[in-house]
Amino acid sequence: MEKFSRLTGVAAPLPVVNIDTDMIIPKDYLKTIKRTGLGKGLFAEARYNEDGSENPDFVLNQPAWRNASILIAGDNFGCGSSREHAPWALLDFGIRCVISTSFADIFYNNCFKNGILPIVVSQEDLDKLMDDARRGANATVSIGLEEQEIRGPDGGVIKFDIDAFKKHCLLNGLDDIGLTLEKASAIDSYETRASDNHPWL
């Protein structure tokens, strides 16, 4: 997966609590196992009207936030069913970081496995970031994973905590397969020894 070190971009405000995975990517889009193409279904029930036209009131349809790469969301983001399509849809749309006061555990872990950085902040810090995000494309936010800090458009800095192993994986672009491939030489050595010692297997 793509490495995550630093991200500077527009942050979209989504001040809604308990956004579940069905809202992130409705069940109609779960028929594929491909990770691409799901961006069009991201928040589909809120982004589109019944006739398929865009809902102009939804934040990601508005010019200031169409190209947002950061999402500032309400509490308990990613709750509901454990569909991995949810982070796939966010990533395919272009969202690389979601900031909230809390995340559902399965969604939180799925984000790291797909190259998305979920950041937990206090309610006070979220309120400040939400205000920054409402300023639109003129107010970019910068995320530094190595430093574990969020820099607002006015220069304010918010520090955040992250598990050291998850941080290592994101910085180096390592999903579960990548972690296994890091041990490729040891695996090859084992397989060679096993073949020499047990040629009948």
Side-chain angles (χ1 to χ4, degrees):
M1 67 185 184
E2 186 179 350
K3 295 179 180 180
F4 190 116
S5 177
R6 181 169 298 280
L7 173 66
T8 300
V10 173
L14 194 59
V16 181
V17 299
N18 301 321
I19 293 176
D20 63 22
T21 52
D22 189 55
M23 182 178 176
I24 297 170
I25 184 74
K27 61 183 180 301
D28 297 346
Y29 294 88
L30 304 185
K31 298 172 184 175
T32 180
I33 57 171
K34 295 180 180 178
R35 300 185 184 202
T36 57
L38 289 171
K40 67 178 182 288
L42 181 67
F43 299 116
E45 292 178 357
R47 278 174 67 196
Y48 306 114
N49 297 313
E50 288 186 9
D51 63 0
S53 62
E54 288 188 352
N55 172 8
D57 295 328
F58 188 69
V59 62
L60 295 179
N61 290 336
Q62 297 173 17
W65 298 286
R66 267 189 188 275
N67 297 312
S69 56
I70 302 163
L71 195 62
I72 313 296
D75 191 54
N76 197 28
F77 189 88
C79 57
S81 62
S82 58
R83 57 186 69 169
E84 197 165 10
H85 292 68
W88 293 353
L90 287 162
L91 192 62
D92 192 60
F93 181 86
I95 302 292
R96 293 292 313 278
C97 178
V98 182
I99 303 173
S100 179
T101 50
S102 71
F103 294 88
D105 187 59
I106 293 175
F107 174 84
Y108 182 80
N109 288 304
N110 278 341
C111 281
F112 286 102
K113 295 179 180 182
N114 288 281
I116 297 173
L117 173 60
I119 299 176
V120 176
V121 297
S122 68
Q123 186 63 57
E124 180 182 358
D125 287 337
L126 188 78
D127 292 342
K128 177 66 172 73
L129 290 166
M130 199 73 76
D131 287 340
D132 289 340
R134 288 189 175 104
R135 291 159 59 183
N138 294 323
T140 58
V141 173
S142 182
I143 314 291
L145 178 55
E146 186 67 56
E147 305 85 359
Q148 296 179 213
E149 64 181 27
I150 306 164
R151 288 191 174 270
D154 298 325
V157 177
I158 296 171
K159 303 292 285 187
F160 63 89
D161 294 325
I162 185 173
D163 175 81
F165 176 70
K166 288 180 169 65
K167 177 179 177 179
H168 167 80
C169 290
L170 271 183
L171 285 171
N172 293 282
L174 297 172
D175 56 13
D176 289 347
I177 294 173
L179 285 167
T180 301
L181 291 177
E182 280 196 316
K183 308 294 185 183
S185 59
I187 293 169
D188 288 342
S189 296
Y190 171 82
E191 292 293 342
T192 299
R193 289 195 310 274
S195 179
D196 291 342
N197 295 333
H198 309 288
W200 59 87
L201 294 179

PDB file of all heavy atoms in Angstrom, residues 92-120:
ATOM      1  N   ASP A  92     -10.472   5.380  -2.250  1.00  0.00           N
ATOM      2  CA  ASP A  92     -10.687   5.545  -3.683  1.00  0.00           C
ATOM      3  C   ASP A  92     -11.188   6.957  -3.999  1.00  0.00           C
ATOM      4  O   ASP A  92     -10.883   7.503  -5.066  1.00  0.00           O
ATOM      5  CB  ASP A  92     -11.689   4.510  -4.191  1.00  0.00           C
ATOM      6  CG  ASP A  92     -11.727   4.434  -5.710  1.00  0.00           C
ATOM      7  OD1 ASP A  92     -10.676   4.128  -6.311  1.00  0.00           O
ATOM      8  OD2 ASP A  92     -12.802   4.684  -6.299  1.00  0.00           O
ATOM      9  N   PHE A  93     -11.921   7.555  -3.078  1.00  0.00           N
ATOM     10  CA  PHE A  93     -12.372   8.934  -3.254  1.00  0.00           C
ATOM     11  C   PHE A  93     -11.206   9.911  -3.115  1.00  0.00           C
ATOM     12  O   PHE A  93     -11.195  10.979  -3.723  1.00  0.00           O
ATOM     13  CB  PHE A  93     -13.455   9.271  -2.229  1.00  0.00           C
ATOM     14  CG  PHE A  93     -14.001  10.661  -2.360  1.00  0.00           C
ATOM     15  CD1 PHE A  93     -15.045  10.936  -3.238  1.00  0.00           C
ATOM     16  CD2 PHE A  93     -13.463  11.709  -1.611  1.00  0.00           C
ATOM     17  CE1 PHE A  93     -15.538  12.236  -3.368  1.00  0.00           C
ATOM     18  CE2 PHE A  93     -13.954  13.004  -1.737  1.00  0.00           C
ATOM     19  CZ  PHE A  93     -14.996  13.265  -2.618  1.00  0.00           C
ATOM     20  N   GLY A  94     -10.223   9.531  -2.294  1.00  0.00           N
ATOM     21  CA  GLY A  94      -9.064  10.398  -2.064  1.00  0.00           C
ATOM     22  C   GLY A  94      -8.863  10.801  -0.622  1.00  0.00           C
ATOM     23  O   GLY A  94      -7.975  11.591  -0.302  1.00  0.00           O
ATOM     24  N   ILE A  95      -9.680  10.237   0.297  1.00  0.00           N
ATOM     25  CA  ILE A  95      -9.530  10.530   1.726  1.00  0.00           C
ATOM     26  C   ILE A  95      -8.413   9.658   2.289  1.00  0.00           C
ATOM     27  O   ILE A  95      -8.494   8.441   2.272  1.00  0.00           O
ATOM     28  CB  ILE A  95     -10.843  10.260   2.498  1.00  0.00           C
ATOM     29  CG1 ILE A  95     -12.003  11.085   1.930  1.00  0.00           C
ATOM     30  CG2 ILE A  95     -10.643  10.517   3.991  1.00  0.00           C
ATOM     31  CD1 ILE A  95     -11.888  12.562   2.135  1.00  0.00           C
ATOM     32  N   ARG A  96      -7.356  10.287   2.814  1.00  0.00           N
ATOM     33  CA  ARG A  96      -6.237   9.549   3.393  1.00  0.00           C
ATOM     34  C   ARG A  96      -6.182   9.651   4.913  1.00  0.00           C
ATOM     35  O   ARG A  96      -5.396   8.956   5.566  1.00  0.00           O
ATOM     36  CB  ARG A  96      -4.898  10.066   2.845  1.00  0.00           C
ATOM     37  CG  ARG A  96      -4.618   9.838   1.384  1.00  0.00           C
ATOM     38  CD  ARG A  96      -4.418   8.389   0.998  1.00  0.00           C
ATOM     39  NE  ARG A  96      -3.532   7.617   1.843  1.00  0.00           N
ATOM     40  CZ  ARG A  96      -2.210   7.611   1.749  1.00  0.00           C
ATOM     41  NH1 ARG A  96      -1.587   8.364   0.878  1.00  0.00           N
ATOM     42  NH2 ARG A  96      -1.495   6.824   2.548  1.00  0.00           N
ATOM     43  N   CYS A  97      -7.000  10.530   5.488  1.00  0.00           N
ATOM     44  CA  CYS A  97      -6.987  10.711   6.940  1.00  0.00           C
ATOM     45  C   CYS A  97      -8.388  11.073   7.422  1.00  0.00           C
ATOM     46  O   CYS A  97      -9.065  11.906   6.803  1.00  0.00           O
ATOM     47  CB  CYS A  97      -5.999  11.820   7.302  1.00  0.00           C
ATOM     48  SG  CYS A  97      -5.921  12.207   9.067  1.00  0.00           S
ATOM     49  N   VAL A  98      -8.817  10.432   8.504  1.00  0.00           N
ATOM     50  CA  VAL A  98     -10.087  10.750   9.154  1.00  0.00           C
ATOM     51  C   VAL A  98      -9.784  11.112  10.600  1.00  0.00           C
ATOM     52  O   VAL A  98      -9.068  10.380  11.293  1.00  0.00           O
ATOM     53  CB  VAL A  98     -11.078   9.568   9.101  1.00  0.00           C
ATOM     54  CG1 VAL A  98     -12.407   9.963   9.749  1.00  0.00           C
ATOM     55  CG2 VAL A  98     -11.305   9.093   7.670  1.00  0.00           C
ATOM     56  N   ILE A  99     -10.336  12.228  11.046  1.00  0.00           N
ATOM     57  CA  ILE A  99     -10.112  12.694  12.413  1.00  0.00           C
ATOM     58  C   ILE A  99     -11.448  12.731  13.142  1.00  0.00           C
ATOM     59  O   ILE A  99     -12.429  13.281  12.644  1.00  0.00           O
ATOM     60  CB  ILE A  99      -9.462  14.092  12.420  1.00  0.00           C
ATOM     61  CG1 ILE A  99      -8.142  14.076  11.631  1.00  0.00           C
ATOM     62  CG2 ILE A  99      -9.226  14.573  13.853  1.00  0.00           C
ATOM     63  CD1 ILE A  99      -7.514  15.448  11.439  1.00  0.00           C
ATOM     64  N   SER A 100     -11.484  12.119  14.324  1.00  0.00           N
ATOM     65  CA  SER A 100     -12.708  12.067  15.119  1.00  0.00           C
ATOM     66  C   SER A 100     -12.332  11.926  16.591  1.00  0.00           C
ATOM     67  O   SER A 100     -11.155  11.769  16.929  1.00  0.00           O
ATOM     68  CB  SER A 100     -13.579  10.888  14.668  1.00  0.00           C
ATOM     69  OG  SER A 100     -14.765  10.800  15.429  1.00  0.00           O
ATOM     70  N   THR A 101     -13.346  11.953  17.458  1.00  0.00           N
ATOM     71  CA  THR A 101     -13.085  11.732  18.881  1.00  0.00           C
ATOM     72  C   THR A 101     -13.044  10.250  19.219  1.00  0.00           C
ATOM     73  O   THR A 101     -12.490   9.862  20.250  1.00  0.00           O
ATOM     74  CB  THR A 101     -14.159  12.423  19.741  1.00  0.00           C
ATOM     75  OG1 THR A 101     -15.446  12.057  19.258  1.00  0.00           O
ATOM     76  CG2 THR A 101     -14.011  13.937  19.689  1.00  0.00           C
ATOM     77  N   SER A 102     -13.637   9.403  18.367  1.00  0.00           N
ATOM     78  CA  SER A 102     -13.549   7.953  18.557  1.00  0.00           C
ATOM     79  C   SER A 102     -13.961   7.237  17.283  1.00  0.00           C
ATOM     80  O   SER A 102     -14.676   7.791  16.439  1.00  0.00           O
ATOM     81  CB  SER A 102     -14.432   7.481  19.725  1.00  0.00           C
ATOM     82  OG  SER A 102     -15.802   7.566  19.387  1.00  0.00           O
ATOM     83  N   PHE A 103     -13.483   5.997  17.151  1.00  0.00           N
ATOM     84  CA  PHE A 103     -13.776   5.154  15.996  1.00  0.00           C
ATOM     85  C   PHE A 103     -14.245   3.785  16.474  1.00  0.00           C
ATOM     86  O   PHE A 103     -13.837   3.315  17.538  1.00  0.00           O
ATOM     87  CB  PHE A 103     -12.528   4.941  15.137  1.00  0.00           C
ATOM     88  CG  PHE A 103     -12.008   6.177  14.459  1.00  0.00           C
ATOM     89  CD1 PHE A 103     -11.099   7.006  15.105  1.00  0.00           C
ATOM     90  CD2 PHE A 103     -12.416   6.503  13.181  1.00  0.00           C
ATOM     91  CE1 PHE A 103     -10.610   8.153  14.487  1.00  0.00           C
ATOM     92  CE2 PHE A 103     -11.931   7.641  12.546  1.00  0.00           C
ATOM     93  CZ  PHE A 103     -11.024   8.465  13.202  1.00  0.00           C
ATOM     94  N   ALA A 104     -15.065   3.141  15.660  1.00  0.00           N
ATOM     95  CA  ALA A 104     -15.368   1.735  15.900  1.00  0.00           C
ATOM     96  C   ALA A 104     -14.085   0.941  15.700  1.00  0.00           C
ATOM     97  O   ALA A 104     -13.298   1.210  14.779  1.00  0.00           O
ATOM     98  CB  ALA A 104     -16.452   1.254  14.942  1.00  0.00           C
ATOM     99  N   ASP A 105     -13.839  -0.044  16.545  1.00  0.00           N
ATOM    100  CA  ASP A 105     -12.553  -0.739  16.588  1.00  0.00           C
ATOM    101  C   ASP A 105     -12.186  -1.421  15.269  1.00  0.00           C
ATOM    102  O   ASP A 105     -11.061  -1.289  14.783  1.00  0.00           O
ATOM    103  CB  ASP A 105     -12.567  -1.764  17.722  1.00  0.00           C
ATOM    104  CG  ASP A 105     -11.207  -2.402  17.941  1.00  0.00           C
ATOM    105  OD1 ASP A 105     -10.250  -1.653  18.230  1.00  0.00           O
ATOM    106  OD2 ASP A 105     -11.089  -3.629  17.791  1.00  0.00           O
ATOM    107  N   ILE A 106     -13.127  -2.156  14.671  1.00  0.00           N
ATOM    108  CA  ILE A 106     -12.815  -2.886  13.432  1.00  0.00           C
ATOM    109  C   ILE A 106     -12.512  -1.909  12.305  1.00  0.00           C
ATOM    110  O   ILE A 106     -11.538  -2.077  11.564  1.00  0.00           O
ATOM    111  CB  ILE A 106     -13.958  -3.850  13.053  1.00  0.00           C
ATOM    112  CG1 ILE A 106     -14.069  -4.962  14.090  1.00  0.00           C
ATOM    113  CG2 ILE A 106     -13.724  -4.443  11.668  1.00  0.00           C
ATOM    114  CD1 ILE A 106     -15.234  -5.907  13.879  1.00  0.00           C
ATOM    115  N   PHE A 107     -13.328  -0.872  12.169  1.00  0.00           N
ATOM    116  CA  PHE A 107     -13.071   0.133  11.135  1.00  0.00           C
ATOM    117  C   PHE A 107     -11.711   0.790  11.353  1.00  0.00           C
ATOM    118  O   PHE A 107     -10.945   0.985  10.404  1.00  0.00           O
ATOM    119  CB  PHE A 107     -14.175   1.188  11.134  1.00  0.00           C
ATOM    120  CG  PHE A 107     -13.897   2.328  10.198  1.00  0.00           C
ATOM    121  CD1 PHE A 107     -14.214   2.222   8.851  1.00  0.00           C
ATOM    122  CD2 PHE A 107     -13.302   3.499  10.652  1.00  0.00           C
ATOM    123  CE1 PHE A 107     -13.931   3.270   7.979  1.00  0.00           C
ATOM    124  CE2 PHE A 107     -13.019   4.538   9.787  1.00  0.00           C
ATOM    125  CZ  PHE A 107     -13.336   4.428   8.441  1.00  0.00           C
ATOM    126  N   TYR A 108     -11.403   1.132  12.587  1.00  0.00           N
ATOM    127  CA  TYR A 108     -10.134   1.778  12.930  1.00  0.00           C
ATOM    128  C   TYR A 108      -8.950   0.932  12.453  1.00  0.00           C
ATOM    129  O   TYR A 108      -8.028   1.433  11.803  1.00  0.00           O
ATOM    130  CB  TYR A 108     -10.082   1.986  14.444  1.00  0.00           C
ATOM    131  CG  TYR A 108      -8.855   2.685  14.968  1.00  0.00           C
ATOM    132  CD1 TYR A 108      -8.740   4.067  14.907  1.00  0.00           C
ATOM    133  CD2 TYR A 108      -7.826   1.969  15.566  1.00  0.00           C
ATOM    134  CE1 TYR A 108      -7.628   4.729  15.417  1.00  0.00           C
ATOM    135  CE2 TYR A 108      -6.705   2.608  16.079  1.00  0.00           C
ATOM    136  CZ  TYR A 108      -6.606   3.992  16.004  1.00  0.00           C
ATOM    137  OH  TYR A 108      -5.493   4.630  16.501  1.00  0.00           O
ATOM    138  N   ASN A 109      -8.990  -0.361  12.749  1.00  0.00           N
ATOM    139  CA  ASN A 109      -7.893  -1.238  12.344  1.00  0.00           C
ATOM    140  C   ASN A 109      -7.857  -1.455  10.837  1.00  0.00           C
ATOM    141  O   ASN A 109      -6.778  -1.559  10.243  1.00  0.00           O
ATOM    142  CB  ASN A 109      -7.998  -2.575  13.081  1.00  0.00           C
ATOM    143  CG  ASN A 109      -7.627  -2.443  14.547  1.00  0.00           C
ATOM    144  OD1 ASN A 109      -6.547  -1.981  14.890  1.00  0.00           O
ATOM    145  ND2 ASN A 109      -8.531  -2.814  15.435  1.00  0.00           N
ATOM    146  N   ASN A 110      -9.022  -1.515  10.198  1.00  0.00           N
ATOM    147  CA  ASN A 110      -9.067  -1.661   8.743  1.00  0.00           C
ATOM    148  C   ASN A 110      -8.444  -0.465   8.033  1.00  0.00           C
ATOM    149  O   ASN A 110      -7.848  -0.612   6.960  1.00  0.00           O
ATOM    150  CB  ASN A 110     -10.506  -1.855   8.257  1.00  0.00           C
ATOM    151  CG  ASN A 110     -10.984  -3.287   8.384  1.00  0.00           C
ATOM    152  OD1 ASN A 110     -10.194  -4.210   8.497  1.00  0.00           O
ATOM    153  ND2 ASN A 110     -12.297  -3.472   8.366  1.00  0.00           N
ATOM    154  N   CYS A 111      -8.587   0.717   8.622  1.00  0.00           N
ATOM    155  CA  CYS A 111      -7.982   1.908   8.024  1.00  0.00           C
ATOM    156  C   CYS A 111      -6.469   1.738   7.889  1.00  0.00           C
ATOM    157  O   CYS A 111      -5.889   1.993   6.827  1.00  0.00           O
ATOM    158  CB  CYS A 111      -8.297   3.141   8.862  1.00  0.00           C
ATOM    159  SG  CYS A 111      -9.948   3.813   8.597  1.00  0.00           S
ATOM    160  N   PHE A 112      -5.819   1.311   8.957  1.00  0.00           N
ATOM    161  CA  PHE A 112      -4.365   1.142   8.926  1.00  0.00           C
ATOM    162  C   PHE A 112      -3.940   0.113   7.885  1.00  0.00           C
ATOM    163  O   PHE A 112      -2.894   0.256   7.257  1.00  0.00           O
ATOM    164  CB  PHE A 112      -3.853   0.729  10.307  1.00  0.00           C
ATOM    165  CG  PHE A 112      -3.846   1.848  11.306  1.00  0.00           C
ATOM    166  CD1 PHE A 112      -4.834   1.941  12.276  1.00  0.00           C
ATOM    167  CD2 PHE A 112      -2.853   2.821  11.285  1.00  0.00           C
ATOM    168  CE1 PHE A 112      -4.839   2.968  13.209  1.00  0.00           C
ATOM    169  CE2 PHE A 112      -2.844   3.857  12.209  1.00  0.00           C
ATOM    170  CZ  PHE A 112      -3.840   3.938  13.170  1.00  0.00           C
ATOM    171  N   LYS A 113      -4.745  -0.908   7.700  1.00  0.00           N
ATOM    172  CA  LYS A 113      -4.405  -1.958   6.735  1.00  0.00           C
ATOM    173  C   LYS A 113      -4.614  -1.521   5.297  1.00  0.00           C
ATOM    174  O   LYS A 113      -4.247  -2.244   4.366  1.00  0.00           O
ATOM    175  CB  LYS A 113      -5.227  -3.213   7.028  1.00  0.00           C
ATOM    176  CG  LYS A 113      -4.892  -3.845   8.368  1.00  0.00           C
ATOM    177  CD  LYS A 113      -5.739  -5.067   8.642  1.00  0.00           C
ATOM    178  CE  LYS A 113      -5.393  -5.685   9.998  1.00  0.00           C
ATOM    179  NZ  LYS A 113      -6.174  -6.905  10.280  1.00  0.00           N
ATOM    180  N   ASN A 114      -5.202  -0.347   5.112  1.00  0.00           N
ATOM    181  CA  ASN A 114      -5.476   0.147   3.761  1.00  0.00           C
ATOM    182  C   ASN A 114      -4.848   1.509   3.473  1.00  0.00           C
ATOM    183  O   ASN A 114      -5.174   2.142   2.470  1.00  0.00           O
ATOM    184  CB  ASN A 114      -6.990   0.214   3.539  1.00  0.00           C
ATOM    185  CG  ASN A 114      -7.597  -1.172   3.388  1.00  0.00           C
ATOM    186  OD1 ASN A 114      -7.514  -1.789   2.347  1.00  0.00           O
ATOM    187  ND2 ASN A 114      -8.210  -1.685   4.460  1.00  0.00           N
ATOM    188  N   GLY A 115      -3.958   1.947   4.352  1.00  0.00           N
ATOM    189  CA  GLY A 115      -3.223   3.183   4.084  1.00  0.00           C
ATOM    190  C   GLY A 115      -3.923   4.461   4.484  1.00  0.00           C
ATOM    191  O   GLY A 115      -3.559   5.541   4.027  1.00  0.00           O
ATOM    192  N   ILE A 116      -4.941   4.361   5.340  1.00  0.00           N
ATOM    193  CA  ILE A 116      -5.645   5.535   5.849  1.00  0.00           C
ATOM    194  C   ILE A 116      -5.241   5.748   7.303  1.00  0.00           C
ATOM    195  O   ILE A 116      -5.178   4.797   8.074  1.00  0.00           O
ATOM    196  CB  ILE A 116      -7.169   5.359   5.754  1.00  0.00           C
ATOM    197  CG1 ILE A 116      -7.595   5.220   4.283  1.00  0.00           C
ATOM    198  CG2 ILE A 116      -7.902   6.520   6.421  1.00  0.00           C
ATOM    199  CD1 ILE A 116      -9.062   4.876   4.116  1.00  0.00           C
ATOM    200  N   LEU A 117      -4.991   7.003   7.677  1.00  0.00           N
ATOM    201  CA  LEU A 117      -4.629   7.323   9.055  1.00  0.00           C
ATOM    202  C   LEU A 117      -5.860   7.823   9.816  1.00  0.00           C
ATOM    203  O   LEU A 117      -6.368   8.911   9.538  1.00  0.00           O
ATOM    204  CB  LEU A 117      -3.537   8.400   9.081  1.00  0.00           C
ATOM    205  CG  LEU A 117      -3.160   8.959  10.454  1.00  0.00           C
ATOM    206  CD1 LEU A 117      -2.650   7.857  11.373  1.00  0.00           C
ATOM    207  CD2 LEU A 117      -2.136  10.077  10.311  1.00  0.00           C
ATOM    208  N   PRO A 118      -6.372   7.043  10.778  1.00  0.00           N
ATOM    209  CA  PRO A 118      -7.446   7.533  11.641  1.00  0.00           C
ATOM    210  C   PRO A 118      -6.832   8.156  12.897  1.00  0.00           C
ATOM    211  O   PRO A 118      -6.016   7.530  13.570  1.00  0.00           O
ATOM    212  CB  PRO A 118      -8.228   6.253  11.975  1.00  0.00           C
ATOM    213  CG  PRO A 118      -7.201   5.164  11.924  1.00  0.00           C
ATOM    214  CD  PRO A 118      -6.080   5.626  11.015  1.00  0.00           C
ATOM    215  N   ILE A 119      -7.217   9.379  13.191  1.00  0.00           N
ATOM    216  CA  ILE A 119      -6.643  10.095  14.331  1.00  0.00           C
ATOM    217  C   ILE A 119      -7.733  10.388  15.360  1.00  0.00           C
ATOM    218  O   ILE A 119      -8.788  10.927  15.021  1.00  0.00           O
ATOM    219  CB  ILE A 119      -5.988  11.422  13.893  1.00  0.00           C
ATOM    220  CG1 ILE A 119      -4.842  11.150  12.909  1.00  0.00           C
ATOM    221  CG2 ILE A 119      -5.478  12.202  15.096  1.00  0.00           C
ATOM    222  CD1 ILE A 119      -4.207  12.419  12.354  1.00  0.00           C
ATOM    223  N   VAL A 120      -7.452  10.040  16.614  1.00  0.00           N
ATOM    224  CA  VAL A 120      -8.366  10.328  17.714  1.00  0.00           C
ATOM    225  C   VAL A 120      -7.889  11.587  18.434  1.00  0.00           C
ATOM    226  O   VAL A 120      -6.721  11.682  18.830  1.00  0.00           O
ATOM    227  CB  VAL A 120      -8.431   9.150  18.709  1.00  0.00           C
ATOM    228  CG1 VAL A 120      -9.312   9.497  19.898  1.00  0.00           C
ATOM    229  CG2 VAL A 120      -8.943   7.893  18.018  1.00  0.00           C
TER     230      VAL A 120
END
